[in-house]
PDB file of all heavy atoms in Angstrom:
ATOM      1  N   GLY A  14       6.667  37.291   0.214  1.00 98.00           N
ATOM      2  CA  GLY A  14       7.495  38.022  -0.727  1.00 98.00           C
ATOM      3  C   GLY A  14       8.180  39.183  -0.026  1.00 98.00           C
ATOM      4  O   GLY A  14       7.507  40.059   0.528  1.00 98.00           O
ATOM      5  N   HIS A  15       9.518  39.162  -0.004  1.00 97.00           N
ATOM      6  CA  HIS A  15      10.295  40.224   0.644  1.00 97.00           C
ATOM      7  C   HIS A  15      10.766  41.188  -0.444  1.00 97.00           C
ATOM      8  O   HIS A  15      11.685  40.889  -1.203  1.00 97.00           O
ATOM      9  CB  HIS A  15      11.486  39.613   1.381  1.00 97.00           C
ATOM     10  CG  HIS A  15      12.270  40.600   2.178  1.00 97.00           C
ATOM     11  ND1 HIS A  15      13.370  40.235   2.938  1.00 97.00           N
ATOM     12  CD2 HIS A  15      12.132  41.947   2.349  1.00 97.00           C
ATOM     13  CE1 HIS A  15      13.860  41.302   3.527  1.00 97.00           C
ATOM     14  NE2 HIS A  15      13.133  42.352   3.172  1.00 97.00           N
ATOM     15  N   LEU A  16      10.131  42.338  -0.525  1.00 96.00           N
ATOM     16  CA  LEU A  16      10.442  43.311  -1.571  1.00 96.00           C
ATOM     17  C   LEU A  16      11.702  44.097  -1.231  1.00 96.00           C
ATOM     18  O   LEU A  16      11.848  44.615  -0.115  1.00 96.00           O
ATOM     19  CB  LEU A  16       9.276  44.279  -1.771  1.00 96.00           C
ATOM     20  CG  LEU A  16       8.141  43.811  -2.691  1.00 96.00           C
ATOM     21  CD1 LEU A  16       7.415  42.599  -2.112  1.00 96.00           C
ATOM     22  CD2 LEU A  16       7.155  44.945  -2.963  1.00 96.00           C
ATOM     23  N   TYR A  17      12.619  44.140  -2.177  1.00 94.00           N
ATOM     24  CA  TYR A  17      13.852  44.923  -2.109  1.00 94.00           C
ATOM     25  C   TYR A  17      14.686  44.607  -0.852  1.00 94.00           C
ATOM     26  O   TYR A  17      15.042  45.513  -0.084  1.00 94.00           O
ATOM     27  CB  TYR A  17      13.523  46.416  -2.166  1.00 94.00           C
ATOM     28  CG  TYR A  17      12.570  46.765  -3.280  1.00 94.00           C
ATOM     29  CD1 TYR A  17      11.257  47.150  -3.004  1.00 94.00           C
ATOM     30  CD2 TYR A  17      12.959  46.680  -4.610  1.00 94.00           C
ATOM     31  CE1 TYR A  17      10.370  47.446  -4.021  1.00 94.00           C
ATOM     32  CE2 TYR A  17      12.075  46.978  -5.646  1.00 94.00           C
ATOM     33  CZ  TYR A  17      10.771  47.357  -5.342  1.00 94.00           C
ATOM     34  OH  TYR A  17       9.888  47.651  -6.357  1.00 94.00           O
ATOM     35  N   PRO A  18      15.011  43.346  -0.624  1.00 92.00           N
ATOM     36  CA  PRO A  18      15.769  42.987   0.584  1.00 92.00           C
ATOM     37  C   PRO A  18      17.162  43.599   0.632  1.00 92.00           C
ATOM     38  O   PRO A  18      17.707  43.787   1.722  1.00 92.00           O
ATOM     39  CB  PRO A  18      15.848  41.462   0.508  1.00 92.00           C
ATOM     40  CG  PRO A  18      15.668  41.135  -0.945  1.00 92.00           C
ATOM     41  CD  PRO A  18      14.721  42.167  -1.475  1.00 92.00           C
ATOM     42  N   ASP A  19      17.745  43.927  -0.517  1.00 88.00           N
ATOM     43  CA  ASP A  19      19.086  44.511  -0.540  1.00 88.00           C
ATOM     44  C   ASP A  19      19.056  46.030  -0.418  1.00 88.00           C
ATOM     45  O   ASP A  19      19.963  46.631   0.164  1.00 88.00           O
ATOM     46  CB  ASP A  19      19.814  44.119  -1.834  1.00 88.00           C
ATOM     47  CG  ASP A  19      20.044  42.624  -1.936  1.00 88.00           C
ATOM     48  OD1 ASP A  19      20.276  41.997  -0.886  1.00 88.00           O
ATOM     49  OD2 ASP A  19      19.969  42.086  -3.057  1.00 88.00           O
ATOM     50  N   GLN A  20      18.029  46.652  -0.948  1.00 85.00           N
ATOM     51  CA  GLN A  20      17.956  48.106  -0.941  1.00 85.00           C
ATOM     52  C   GLN A  20      17.288  48.663   0.320  1.00 85.00           C
ATOM     53  O   GLN A  20      17.667  49.725   0.816  1.00 85.00           O
ATOM     54  CB  GLN A  20      17.190  48.625  -2.168  1.00 85.00           C
ATOM     55  CG  GLN A  20      17.887  48.411  -3.495  1.00 85.00           C
ATOM     56  CD  GLN A  20      17.687  47.000  -4.030  1.00 85.00           C
ATOM     57  OE1 GLN A  20      16.849  46.248  -3.541  1.00 85.00           O
ATOM     58  NE2 GLN A  20      18.449  46.641  -5.056  1.00 85.00           N
ATOM     59  N   LEU A  21      16.283  47.969   0.821  1.00 83.00           N
ATOM     60  CA  LEU A  21      15.501  48.487   1.949  1.00 83.00           C
ATOM     61  C   LEU A  21      15.625  47.527   3.130  1.00 83.00           C
ATOM     62  O   LEU A  21      14.840  46.609   3.298  1.00 83.00           O
ATOM     63  CB  LEU A  21      14.022  48.639   1.551  1.00 83.00           C
ATOM     64  CG  LEU A  21      13.733  49.542   0.339  1.00 83.00           C
ATOM     65  CD1 LEU A  21      12.229  49.643   0.109  1.00 83.00           C
ATOM     66  CD2 LEU A  21      14.343  50.931   0.532  1.00 83.00           C
ATOM     67  N   ASN A  22      16.631  47.783   3.975  1.00 77.00           N
ATOM     68  CA  ASN A  22      16.846  46.904   5.129  1.00 77.00           C
ATOM     69  C   ASN A  22      17.603  47.658   6.214  1.00 77.00           C
ATOM     70  O   ASN A  22      18.720  47.309   6.585  1.00 77.00           O
ATOM     71  CB  ASN A  22      17.612  45.647   4.717  1.00 77.00           C
ATOM     72  CG  ASN A  22      17.768  44.674   5.875  1.00 77.00           C
ATOM     73  OD1 ASN A  22      16.890  44.547   6.717  1.00 77.00           O
ATOM     74  ND2 ASN A  22      18.913  44.002   5.927  1.00 77.00           N
TER      75      ASN A  22
END
Side-chain angles (χ1 to χ4, degrees):
H15 185 179
L16 276 65
Y17 312 110
D19 296 325
Q20 292 81 13
L21 303 183
N22 184 35

